[in-house]
Every structure is written in C-alpha cells, then in structure tokens.
Amino acid sequence: MNWQPSAEMHALRARARMNQQIRQFFAARDVLEVETPVLASAPVSDPNIEPMCTSEQRWLQTSPEYAMKRLLCAGSGDIFQIARVFRRGEAGRRHNPEFSMLEWYRVGFDHRRLMDEVAELVTQLLSARYPQLPRLNLSYGDAMSRYAGLEVHSASDEQIAVLGQQLAGQDLQLSRDGWLDVIMSHQVEPSLPADTLVFIDDFPASQAALARVSNNTEGVAVAQRFELYFNGAELANGYHELTDAEEQRRRFVQEAGGRPIDEYLLAALEHGLPDCAGVAMGLDRLLMLVQDSGNIADVLSFDWSRA
C-alpha cells in the first residue's frame, strides 16, 4: 500500500501560495470570504453532474452555489469561497471526484463585467509561468462556426447529430445539447489558440442552467453565461444569475430527473436575490498550469486512489 502523498511538497507549497493570492485579491476588493455546509438536503439539479449521497440522505455539494445564493438573498453582499466539492464518476487525468473550487459572486455585475475580473485574477495567478496572456472573446455561435464549421443557431438537430457522430465515431443516442457538448469537447476546445485566455459566451438558451436568457444582436435567445478555456481545458463557468424564483422552479422541475429540489434556495429567491453575477473556477486545474503538470494527482495531497 502506497501511503505517500500523490503530490510533491513543492506543489503543496504552490497551492498555499495560490490560496493566499486569491484571498489577497478579494480582500483588496472588499469581497467577504464565507463558508457553507458541505452536506445539503438537496443535490444540484444539473443532469450533467452526478452528485454523491451519504447514508443519512444528505448530498455532498457539487458546488457551494445554492448556499451562497441564500447568503446573497440574506444581504451578504459580495462573497467568495474556496470550497471542497464532490462529483461522482469524475476521475481521470484532469478530474478527481473530490476537488477544490473557487466560487464568487459580485452584486451589480453582469457576466461580461465578471469576465473581466476573472481574466484579471487568472492572469495574476498564472503570471509566473505565463508573463503575457492574450485574451480572446468569442460567442458560442462564433466558436462553433470558426472551429467546427457549424452555424449552430440555424442548424437542424439532424445536422448537429451527424457532425457529433462523426467526431465521436459512434451514435450515442444523445439530445441536441448532448451532441453539441461532443462537438465542443472533440472539435472546438482542442482547436482554441494556445496560451490564450479564451472566453466563450452567449450559450444556447437550452444550456442556461441558472443563468438569465436574453436575445443576442441577431434576435436569437441565448444564455447570459460564459466559460473560460485555456490550452484546451475549461477553467471557469460563470452566469449573470437568474433572479426569477418561478422560472428557477420550472427549470429545476424540468432538469431534476427525480432528484429532490432545493426548496431552501427557491424560498430565498422568492425573498429576493440581488442583481449579480457569479462564477465557479477549478483551482486544481489552475495549479496544474502553474506546475506544468499533465495529471491532477500531481497537485493533490492525496488523489482518489490514495484517499
């Protein structure tokens, strides 16, 4: 039995420095650090994320989002958290079922203003290894057109499925959004420019999750959310947060698939969520970039196989 840490000591020291930098970044902006429970009475509603349930029928958080929004509804103002989160079945070179997430919310921000702050923080955290970091902003439609040759907002379900099947090498019997995820992961992400902060926003409205929906300049309904990619890896996912409790309940019911719905969050939203934007960022992947590592185990004190 190998009881030794999976990460070397220099990686653990690098993590401590990164956490210190993050806290200094938010302290300078008067953003409050908070802690929320790891165990919750209801899981995330996102059907693409598989939560873990304990024997007491409590759910290990896949993100601190729901609890942090309850704090926002209670008047916390700007908040951030460095949290331990858990997702079933996510293990591999870039994934561990237990990992570290930075999540923060800025009152009065929309997703585009938050993108600027994300870029500022990531640039600071990666500055030792990447002194110059160019930035590229693309809409989801532009990214699909440029790198996959797909006009996504006008393409039929069949056209999207055919391209997805070609890339996957098989028919996986997926929905339109499922095939779009295949196209994004197999074609678009690997084609993005290297050593560049690439922000993709204006996702299809069907992929809004907890984000607002609005019409783009072409009159197409899109989600007010973004993702940040760097060297083929997704680093962050942000929203201009949905504040409509009735619409959030409708989405929860549609997506839950038999899972319990978080009534605490819905009650808080009915009380009132301030206009805000929030983002979740994977810290282990950032640390992999800092350490020039290709395996998440290299930056974890003990990875899943040794925990």
Side-chain angles (χ1 to χ4, degrees):
M1 179 178 290
N2 187 353
W3 59 268
Q4 293 280 358
S6 48
E8 296 184 7
M9 290 301 132
H10 67 81
L12 301 184
R13 286 190 286 269
R15 181 182 291 275
R17 287 194 299 270
M18 184 174 69
N19 288 348
Q20 184 179 39
Q21 284 180 279
I22 290 168
R23 289 187 165 99
Q24 290 172 343
F25 180 90
F26 288 116
R29 290 157 178 77
D30 198 26
V31 180
L32 177 68
E33 183 172 8
V34 298
E35 290 184 350
T36 55
V38 171
L39 292 172
S41 58
V44 67
S45 64
D46 190 334
N48 297 314
I49 296 175
E50 186 64 32
M52 296 182 186
C53 186
T54 71
S55 58
E56 289 79 22
Q57 292 302 303
R58 290 276 167 163
W59 301 84
L60 288 166
Q61 65 176 359
T62 59
S63 158
E65 178 173 10
Y66 292 2
M68 292 182 76
K69 284 183 175 177
R70 289 165 61 187
L71 292 178
L72 288 161
C73 292
S76 66
D78 299 330
I79 53 177
F80 82 97
Q81 181 171 182
I82 298 174
R84 301 296 289 176
V85 298
F86 307 82
R87 297 184 181 182
R88 185 185 300 278
E90 297 198 6
R93 191 169 56 86
R94 289 180 175 172
H95 297 85
N96 197 67
E98 178 182 359
F99 60 101
S100 294
M101 177 180 287
L102 168 64
E103 188 149 335
W104 77 94
Y105 292 85
R106 297 289 254 139
V107 176
F109 278 38
D110 63 12
H111 60 300
R112 300 191 190 284
R113 186 176 175 188
L114 187 58
M115 286 162 62
D116 294 337
E117 188 167 70
V118 169
E120 187 176 356
L121 175 59
V122 173
T123 297
Q124 287 188 24
L125 296 177
L126 297 182
S127 61
R129 180 159 186 80
Y130 300 95
Q132 297 294 327
L133 273 182
R135 173 177 170 181
L136 174 63
N137 282 35
L138 292 169
S139 71
Y140 186 92
D142 287 342
M144 283 287 186
S145 177
R146 181 180 300 191
Y147 299 113
L150 180 69
E151 300 304 318
V152 66
H153 295 307
S154 59
S156 67
D157 291 354
E158 181 180 4
Q159 288 173 311
I160 290 170
V162 167
L163 178 55
Q165 289 165 16
Q166 290 173 353
L167 292 170
Q170 58 183 312
D171 186 356
L172 302 174
Q173 299 296 314
L174 298 176
S175 65
R176 179 186 179 96
D177 282 323
W179 284 122
L180 287 175
D181 287 344
V182 169
I183 296 167
M184 177 64 75
S185 62
H186 285 62
Q187 181 64 37
V188 176
E189 292 175 21
S191 304
L192 297 174
D195 297 344
T196 301
L197 296 178
V198 181
F199 286 89
I200 297 178
D201 65 359
D202 286 355
F203 280 68
S206 57
Q207 299 181 28
L210 282 80
R212 302 184 187 198
V213 173
S214 62
N215 290 338
N216 65 11
T217 55
E218 288 78 38
V220 176
V222 294
Q224 295 185 24
R225 56 170 289 214
F226 67 86
E227 291 186 359
L228 169 62
Y229 294 89
F230 187 78
N231 287 349
E234 178 194 338
L235 296 183
N237 185 10
Y239 304 146
H240 190 186
E241 302 293 345
L242 180 66
T243 58
D244 185 331
E246 184 177 342
E247 170 61 14
Q248 189 61 77
R249 179 178 292 278
R250 186 194 68 78
R251 293 188 194 177
F252 275 175
V253 170
Q254 181 179 8
E255 297 171 352
R259 297 176 186 170
I261 290 173
D262 194 325
E263 294 291 347
Y264 287 113
L265 174 60
L266 292 172
L269 292 178
E270 288 173 0
H271 176 77
L273 178 68
D275 181 24
C276 63
V279 60
M281 182 182 297
L283 291 184
D284 304 308
R285 288 187 181 179
L286 267 176
L287 192 55
M288 288 171 65
L289 293 169
V290 171
Q291 294 291 291
D292 191 25
S293 170
N295 195 317
I296 195 170
D298 295 338
V299 299
L300 299 174
S301 56
F302 299 98
D303 72 345
W304 188 248
S305 68
R306 305 189 196 192

